[in-house]
Amino acid sequence: MTDKSARLRSDATVRFARNPAERPGRKSCTGWYQSIKAGDGLPYESLLERDALLLLDFDRDVAHFSVQPETFVWTEAGRQRRYTPDIRLEMADGKIIYRQVKLATRLAADPTLGGRLPAIEAECAARGGRHEMWLDTDIRRQPRLSNVRRLRAAVAVLAAENLPAIRTIITHLPFPLTLGATAAALGGQAVHTNVVLGLVAIGDLVADLDRPLDENAILMPGTGR
């Protein structure tokens, strides 16, 4: 192991109660997601968790989020029990939510999380928050998931040296405008559609992500991130 790899592992140990990216298995898909909102790489242990992190990056109701934030430990009937929430959310309205990413079929098979759910909810309440299950049926709802995938990819086309000029053009446009009209104002080439999507991704523009992001999508000015 290189010194750099050792430092990364040490940093991850400090930042996360558990690091699923270090525990790959035959039936799991672990890795790191580079979050725009968190400004950091975040570990995930399934593609469903990766999709969940992607959605949070573009959820305007979420001010900040962290993964594997802490492990709850309590004693029940003389036995030590443990639970590590997948995600801790700080909402724009100040509320705290601990969220568990789960397949609906698995929750149906074990709705009390092995009998731990009442204690888990009490632990969350003691921290000033509440506990939620976030199911695959919600996470993978379309077209939102496809939209945020496009937005995350479009960030790569934004060049820092070009942003001031682009923003100058944007500030003089008569919003609301369609995505197609906004791209045309920037030059009308295929790359300009991705530039507009990148501006949505970083919060300069706002779109309804529950509707298709086609050329007729309505855009409004945003406030940035």
Side-chain angles (χ1 to χ4, degrees):
M1 180 184 299
T2 66
D3 290 343
K4 182 178 180 181
S5 297
R7 287 197 303 274
L8 289 173
R9 287 191 62 178
S10 176
D11 289 346
T13 300
V14 171
R15 289 186 290 133
F16 309 112
R18 54 186 287 273
N19 183 1
E22 287 188 339
R23 301 165 51 249
R26 289 188 304 107
K27 296 183 179 180
S28 64
C29 183
T30 63
W32 292 83
Y33 170 70
Q34 187 63 39
S35 168
I36 299 173
K37 187 173 290 182
D40 201 358
L42 303 176
Y44 59 83
E45 58 185 327
S46 70
L47 295 180
L48 182 62
E49 282 193 13
R50 183 200 61 188
D51 288 343
L53 300 180
L54 187 59
L55 286 173
L56 292 175
D57 251 353
F58 299 99
D59 188 335
R60 295 172 61 82
D61 293 329
V62 176
H64 180 72
F65 67 95
S66 56
V67 303
Q68 311 295 330
E70 62 178 306
T71 297
F72 303 163
V73 181
W74 69 95
T75 301
E76 187 176 295
R79 177 186 173 192
Q80 189 178 81
R81 309 295 299 272
R82 302 172 66 88
Y83 175 79
T84 304
D86 289 327
I87 307 167
R88 181 183 184 273
L89 309 177
E90 297 176 20
M91 308 303 289
D93 62 5
K95 293 178 181 177
I96 302 298
I97 300 173
Y98 291 89
R99 204 172 267 182
Q100 184 74 12
V101 175
K102 205 81 169 173
L103 291 171
T105 52
R106 290 193 176 182
L107 182 63
D110 180 18
T112 67
L113 303 183
R116 296 175 299 164
L117 188 55
I120 290 169
E121 291 176 341
E123 291 289 330
C124 291
R127 291 162 174 78
R130 72 172 189 268
H131 185 263
E132 287 183 353
M133 294 293 185
W134 202 9
L135 303 181
D136 58 314
T137 48
D138 293 321
I139 293 169
R140 289 181 168 157
R141 188 175 73 249
Q142 298 293 356
R144 176 172 281 266
L145 182 57
S146 294
N147 285 341
V148 298
R149 285 173 176 167
R150 287 185 69 195
L151 294 181
R152 187 63 188 85
V155 173
V157 307
L158 293 180
E161 62 271 21
N162 295 331
L163 266 179
I166 291 171
R167 283 170 166 159
T168 297
I169 295 172
I170 293 297
T171 58
H172 290 92
L173 296 181
F175 289 101
L177 276 182
T178 64
L179 191 156
T182 307
L186 294 178
Q189 299 179 24
V191 66
H192 295 115
T193 296
N194 285 327
V195 169
V196 174
L197 292 175
L199 293 174
V200 175
I202 65 173
D204 281 22
L205 297 173
V206 176
D208 182 352
L209 300 184
D210 289 317
R211 300 179 66 86
L213 277 180
D214 56 26
E215 64 177 11
N216 296 314
I218 300 299
L219 304 181
M220 295 291 293
T223 56
R225 291 188 182 276

Coordinates of all heavy atoms in Angstrom, one line a residue, residues 77-108:
A77 N -32.3 -6.0 26.5 CA -32.4 -7.4 27.1 C -31.0 -8.0 27.3 O -30.8 -9.2 27.1 CB -33.3 -8.3 26.2
G78 N -30.1 -7.2 27.8 CA -28.8 -7.6 28.2 C -27.9 -7.9 26.9 O -26.8 -8.3 27.1
R79 N -28.4 -7.5 25.8 CA -27.6 -7.7 24.5 C -27.3 -6.3 23.9 O -28.2 -5.5 23.8 CB -28.4 -8.6 23.6 CG -27.8 -8.8 22.2 CD -28.7 -9.6 21.3 NE -28.2 -9.7 20.0 CZ -29.0 -10.1 19.0 NH1 -30.3 -10.4 19.1 NH2 -28.4 -10.2 17.7
Q80 N -26.0 -6.2 23.5 CA -25.7 -4.9 22.8 C -26.2 -5.0 21.3 O -26.0 -5.9 20.6 CB -24.2 -4.8 22.8 CG -23.7 -3.4 22.3 CD -22.2 -3.2 22.3 OE1 -21.5 -3.6 21.4 NE2 -21.8 -2.5 23.4
R81 N -26.9 -3.9 20.9 CA -27.4 -3.8 19.6 C -26.7 -2.6 18.9 O -26.3 -1.6 19.6 CB -28.9 -3.6 19.6 CG -29.7 -4.6 20.4 CD -29.6 -6.0 19.8 NE -30.1 -6.2 18.5 CZ -31.3 -6.4 18.2 NH1 -32.3 -6.6 19.1 NH2 -31.7 -6.6 16.9
R82 N -26.6 -2.7 17.6 CA -25.9 -1.6 16.8 C -26.7 -1.3 15.6 O -27.4 -2.1 15.0 CB -24.5 -2.1 16.5 CG -23.6 -2.4 17.6 CD -22.3 -3.1 17.2 NE -21.4 -2.1 16.4 CZ -20.6 -1.3 17.0 NH1 -20.4 -1.3 18.3 NH2 -19.8 -0.5 16.3
Y83 N -26.5 -0.1 15.1 CA -27.1 0.3 13.8 C -26.4 1.6 13.3 O -26.2 2.5 14.1 CB -28.6 0.7 14.1 CG -29.3 1.2 12.9 CD1 -29.8 0.4 11.8 CD2 -29.6 2.6 12.7 CE1 -30.4 0.9 10.7 CE2 -30.3 3.1 11.6 CZ -30.7 2.3 10.6 OH -31.4 2.8 9.6
T84 N -26.0 1.5 12.0 CA -25.4 2.7 11.4 C -26.3 3.2 10.3 O -26.5 2.5 9.3 CB -24.0 2.3 10.8 OG1 -23.2 1.8 11.8 CG2 -23.4 3.6 10.2
P85 N -26.9 4.4 10.4 CA -27.7 4.9 9.3 C -26.9 5.1 8.1 O -25.7 5.4 8.1 CB -28.2 6.3 9.9 CG -27.9 6.2 11.4 CD -26.8 5.3 11.6
D86 N -27.6 4.9 6.9 CA -26.9 5.1 5.7 C -26.5 6.6 5.5 O -25.4 6.9 5.0 CB -27.7 4.6 4.5 CG -27.8 3.1 4.5 OD1 -26.9 2.5 4.8 OD2 -28.9 2.6 4.1
I87 N -27.5 7.5 5.8 CA -27.3 8.9 5.4 C -27.9 9.8 6.5 O -29.0 9.5 7.1 CB -28.0 9.3 4.1 CG1 -27.6 8.3 3.0 CG2 -27.8 10.7 3.7 CD1 -28.5 8.4 1.8
R88 N -27.2 10.9 6.8 CA -27.8 11.9 7.7 C -28.0 13.2 6.9 O -27.1 13.7 6.2 CB -26.8 12.2 8.9 CG -27.4 13.3 9.8 CD -26.3 13.6 10.9 NE -26.8 14.5 11.9 CZ -26.7 15.9 11.8 NH1 -26.2 16.4 10.7 NH2 -27.2 16.6 12.8
L89 N -29.3 13.7 6.9 CA -29.6 14.8 6.1 C -29.8 16.1 7.0 O -30.5 15.9 8.1 CB -30.9 14.6 5.4 CG -31.0 13.3 4.5 CD1 -32.4 13.3 3.9 CD2 -30.0 13.3 3.4
E90 N -29.4 17.2 6.6 CA -29.7 18.5 7.2 C -30.5 19.2 6.2 O -30.1 19.6 5.1 CB -28.4 19.3 7.5 CG -27.6 18.6 8.6 CD -26.3 19.4 8.8 OE1 -26.2 20.6 8.5 OE2 -25.3 18.8 9.3
M91 N -31.8 19.4 6.5 CA -32.8 19.9 5.5 C -32.7 21.5 5.5 O -32.2 22.1 6.5 CB -34.2 19.5 5.9 CG -34.3 18.0 6.0 SD -33.8 17.1 4.5 CE -35.2 17.5 3.4
A92 N -33.1 22.1 4.5 CA -33.1 23.5 4.3 C -33.9 24.2 5.4 O -33.6 25.3 5.8 CB -33.6 24.0 3.0
D93 N -34.9 23.5 5.9 CA -35.8 24.1 7.0 C -35.2 23.8 8.4 O -35.9 24.1 9.4 CB -37.2 23.6 6.9 CG -37.3 22.1 7.1 OD1 -36.3 21.4 7.4 OD2 -38.5 21.5 6.9
G94 N -34.0 23.2 8.5 CA -33.4 22.9 9.8 C -33.6 21.6 10.4 O -33.0 21.2 11.3
K95 N -34.5 20.8 9.8 CA -34.8 19.5 10.3 C -33.7 18.5 10.0 O -32.9 18.6 9.0 CB -36.1 18.9 9.7 CG -37.3 19.7 10.1 CD -38.6 19.2 9.5 CE -39.8 20.0 9.9 NZ -41.1 19.5 9.2
I96 N -33.5 17.5 10.9 CA -32.5 16.4 10.8 C -33.2 15.1 10.5 O -34.2 14.8 11.1 CB -31.7 16.3 12.0 CG1 -31.0 17.6 12.4 CG2 -30.6 15.2 11.9 CD1 -30.0 18.1 11.3
I97 N -32.8 14.4 9.4 CA -33.4 13.1 9.1 C -32.2 12.1 8.9 O -31.2 12.4 8.2 CB -34.1 13.2 7.7 CG1 -35.3 14.2 7.9 CG2 -34.7 11.9 7.3 CD1 -36.0 14.5 6.6
Y98 N -32.4 11.0 9.5 CA -31.5 9.8 9.3 C -32.3 8.9 8.4 O -33.4 8.5 8.6 CB -31.2 9.1 10.6 CG -30.4 9.9 11.6 CD1 -30.9 10.8 12.5 CD2 -29.0 9.8 11.5 CE1 -30.1 11.6 13.3 CE2 -28.2 10.5 12.4 CZ -28.8 11.4 13.3 OH -28.0 12.2 14.1
R99 N -31.6 8.5 7.3 CA -32.3 7.8 6.2 C -31.6 6.5 5.9 O -30.4 6.4 5.8 CB -32.4 8.7 5.0 CG -33.5 8.3 4.0 CD -33.6 9.4 2.9 NE -34.5 10.4 3.2 CZ -34.8 11.4 2.4 NH1 -34.2 11.5 1.2 NH2 -35.6 12.3 2.7
Q100 N -32.4 5.4 5.8 CA -31.9 4.1 5.4 C -32.3 3.8 4.0 O -33.5 3.8 3.7 CB -32.4 3.0 6.4 CG -31.9 1.6 6.2 CD -30.4 1.5 6.7 OE1 -29.9 2.4 7.3 NE2 -29.8 0.4 6.3
V101 N -31.4 3.4 3.2 CA -31.7 3.1 1.8 C -32.0 1.6 1.8 O -31.2 0.7 2.3 CB -30.5 3.4 0.9 CG1 -30.8 2.9 -0.5 CG2 -30.2 4.9 0.8
K102 N -33.1 1.2 1.2 CA -33.6 -0.2 1.3 C -34.4 -0.6 0.1 O -35.2 0.2 -0.5 CB -34.5 -0.3 2.5 CG -34.6 -1.7 3.2 CD -33.4 -1.9 4.0 CE -33.6 -3.2 4.9 NZ -32.3 -3.5 5.6
L103 N -34.2 -1.8 -0.3 CA -35.1 -2.4 -1.3 C -36.5 -2.7 -0.7 O -36.6 -3.1 0.4 CB -34.6 -3.7 -1.8 CG -33.3 -3.7 -2.7 CD1 -32.8 -5.1 -2.9 CD2 -33.6 -3.0 -4.0
A104 N -37.5 -2.3 -1.4 CA -38.9 -2.5 -0.9 C -39.2 -4.0 -0.5 O -39.8 -4.3 0.5 CB -39.9 -2.0 -1.9
T105 N -38.6 -4.9 -1.3 CA -38.8 -6.3 -1.0 C -38.2 -6.7 0.3 O -38.7 -7.5 1.0 CB -38.3 -7.2 -2.2 OG1 -37.0 -6.8 -2.5 CG2 -39.2 -6.9 -3.4
R106 N -37.0 -6.2 0.6 CA -36.3 -6.5 1.8 C -37.0 -5.9 3.0 O -37.1 -6.6 4.1 CB -34.8 -6.1 1.7 CG -34.0 -6.8 0.7 CD -32.5 -6.6 0.9 NE -31.7 -7.4 0.1 CZ -30.4 -7.4 0.0 NH1 -29.7 -6.6 0.9 NH2 -29.7 -8.2 -0.8
L107 N -37.5 -4.7 2.9 CA -38.2 -4.1 4.0 C -39.5 -4.9 4.3 O -39.8 -5.1 5.4 CB -38.5 -2.7 3.7 CG -39.3 -1.9 4.8 CD1 -38.4 -1.9 6.1 CD2 -39.7 -0.5 4.4
A108 N -40.2 -5.3 3.2 CA -41.4 -6.1 3.4 C -41.1 -7.4 4.2 O -41.9 -7.9 5.0 CB -42.0 -6.4 2.1

